[in-house]
Amino acid sequence: TGGTIVATSTTVNTSGANASGISVYGSHSAFSSVTMAGGSVTASGTGSSAVYLQDRATVSLTGTTLNSSGATFTSTITGEDSQSITLGSGTTVASNNGTLLNVTRSGSGEDGMITLTLQDGSFAQGNVSDKDGSNQVTVTKGANASWAGVVVDSTTDSVTDSTPTDYSNTGNVVVGSTTPVTFTGTTSVGGDFSGATGGSTTFSGSTTISGNLVGAQGSTTSFSGPTTVGAVTGGSGSSIHFTGSSTTIQGNVSGNQGTQITFSQGGSTTIGGSVNLSGSGTSTHGGTIGNPIIVQGDVTVGSGATLGGNITSNGSLGGSGGTIGPGNSVGVQSYATSAGFTGTYKAEVNAAGNSDLIIIRSGNFDLSGIGLTVGQENGNGGYVLNHDYTIVQTPGGSVVNTFQSTGL
């Protein structure tokens, strides 16, 4: 028979090689399940996982923080069974070894199926490793969920060396080595792409990635040629740099837990979806006043993140607890509307009488939840005495209230 555990605001800590914080043992005839709301699971030690699932097993986590030295989830399937993993709103996979889910199959387990669901408001990082499977792990992601990872199975190409000529693959592609890899010619990836955890990948020619570009934990990914990608999701401490003549991101850009994203100041950048930043050290830069980063959707700046660069957005400015700092020195950010952003506005001024500027083109801009800090451009740009610097404009509305606080 199967078993069921329901836990609320529980802290689970385990240590030791191959230890698991939570173990869910099903059988070929009965399901076992664990449901957890709030709390955290931390598993330390070589090969340790936050959650282990065997055969018919289900786990659902809402508002839970997961840390592990090994894969976050490890799965064993020995029969034609199914498993389900659901990450609900507020669940964060904070750290792992670069693998979100590691699947081991034996016997008739080669026909087993796994469903991984990331609901809105969840964040996960690391790849799904199912090397003996073929399209048998289904990942469903909500529009407001973020996953910095790809599915790696028998259909995935793993690149370990630099490519001296053009490269093309219709499916998912990962870098399988921390040794620096360079794609030197024209590159075409039909699925998702992820570099190696802690590794460095460079694309020096024209590049197209139809799926999601993943910034693996601690990795650096650089593009110096014309680039088109489907979407961008950065993991903890990742760096992603676009310096080519044109960059087109067809979907959303998501930066998390220290992701740094730099866009070209010499080329054009267009983002077809929204931009969402969260976590300490997460930041964006790039664009110029005359050639800004164009964002078709909304921009959300969450706690600890900094939105830099010159930006023109056809959506709203929102988020709580983050920092907006226009330009790469003095710069401009323009938004169609305000969605009630609260946080910090870090404005720079200089000796030429110029300053950072936030423009809300339609509707009012409420300053009551925003703290203002003013400094010299790049820390030493000087200033003009008895001069009015314009740092906010609302051509289609009004400025409402005063800044929550001001400081230098």
Side-chain angles (χ1 to χ4, degrees):
T1 60
T4 299
I5 294 176
V6 178
T8 302
S9 301
T10 302
T11 300
V12 179
N13 295 312
T14 60
S15 62
N18 301 314
S20 299
I22 297 173
S23 297
V24 190
Y25 291 93
S27 67
H28 299 317
S29 59
F31 272 97
S32 290
S33 67
V34 169
T35 300
M36 187 169 177
S40 63
V41 181
T42 302
S44 59
T46 304
S48 63
S49 61
V51 180
Y52 172 79
L53 301 92
Q54 180 173 301
D55 295 326
R56 295 189 178 185
T58 299
V59 62
S60 179
L61 308 170
T62 302
T64 306
T65 301
L66 305 172
N67 289 278
S68 60
S69 298
T72 304
F73 300 92
T74 55
S75 164
T76 297
I77 302 182
T78 63
E80 297 181 20
D81 301 315
S82 62
Q83 295 180 349
S84 173
I85 301 169
T86 301
L87 306 184
S89 177
T91 294
T92 298
V93 177
S95 65
N96 54 37
N97 66 347
T99 301
L100 174 64
L101 169 63
N102 187 63
V103 182
T104 300
R105 299 176 182 272
S106 63
S108 57
E110 63 185 14
D111 297 320
M113 304 296 293
I114 300 175
T115 300
L116 173 61
T117 303
L118 283 75
Q119 297 179 344
D120 286 346
S122 64
F123 168 68
Q125 57 187 332
N127 294 337
V128 170
S129 178
D130 185 22
K131 296 182 179 179
D132 294 323
S134 177
N135 300 312
Q136 290 166 266
V137 177
T138 300
V139 180
T140 303
K141 185 171 71 70
N144 295 314
S146 294
W147 174 37
V150 304
V151 174
V152 181
D153 60 17
S154 61
T155 69
T156 304
D157 188 25
S158 179
V159 177
T160 57
D161 297 305
S162 296
T163 61
T165 58
D166 296 346
Y167 174 86
S168 179
N169 189 282
T170 59
N172 291 346
V173 176
V174 297
V175 175
S177 169
T178 56
T179 301
V181 169
T182 299
F183 291 83
T184 55
T186 299
T187 300
S188 176
V189 176
D192 299 333
F193 176 87
S194 176
T197 297
S200 175
T201 306
T202 300
F203 295 85
S204 60
S206 178
T207 302
T208 299
I209 299 172
S210 298
N212 189 27
L213 166 65
V214 174
Q217 297 173 62
S219 68
T220 299
T221 309
S222 303
F223 300 84
S224 58
T227 301
T228 299
V229 299
V232 175
T233 306
S236 298
S238 61
S239 296
I240 303 171
H241 306 289
F242 300 95
T243 59
S245 59
S246 65
T247 299
T248 300
I249 300 169
Q250 297 167 327
N252 298 332
V253 172
S254 175
N256 309 274
Q257 296 187 342
T259 300
Q260 298 183 21
I261 306 176
T262 303
F263 297 102
S264 175
Q265 295 184 46
S268 63
T269 300
T270 301
I271 299 171
S274 298
V275 175
N276 193 317
L277 307 179
S278 64
S280 177
T282 300
S283 64
T284 59
H285 302 279
T288 65
I289 294 176
N291 186 24
I293 301 162
I294 304 298
V295 181
Q296 298 297 347
D298 300 330
V299 176
T300 303
V301 192
S303 180
T306 298
L307 181 74
N310 294 280
I311 295 171
T312 296
S313 168
N314 293 322
S316 62
L317 170 64
S320 175
T323 298
I324 47 177
N328 311 294
S329 50
V330 163
V332 178
Q333 293 181 4
S334 174
Y335 302 91
T337 60
S338 168
F341 169 78
T342 59
T344 300
Y345 177 11
K346 186 176 181 180
E348 291 185 325
V349 300
N350 64 24
N354 299 317
S355 66
D356 283 339
L357 176 64
I358 296 291
I359 302 173
I360 303 297
R361 302 191 297 275
S362 177
N364 297 337
F365 190 28
D366 186 353
L367 305 182
S368 62
I370 302 173
L372 172 67
T373 64
V374 179
Q376 298 180 48
E377 181 180 29
N378 299 323
N380 57 5
Y383 51 87
V384 180
L385 293 174
N386 300 316
H387 173 74
D388 291 332
Y389 288 98
T390 300
I391 60 173
V392 174
Q393 288 182 344
T394 55
S398 301
V399 175
V400 178
N401 298 312
T402 60
F403 286 108
Q404 183 182 58
S405 61
T406 57
L408 299 176

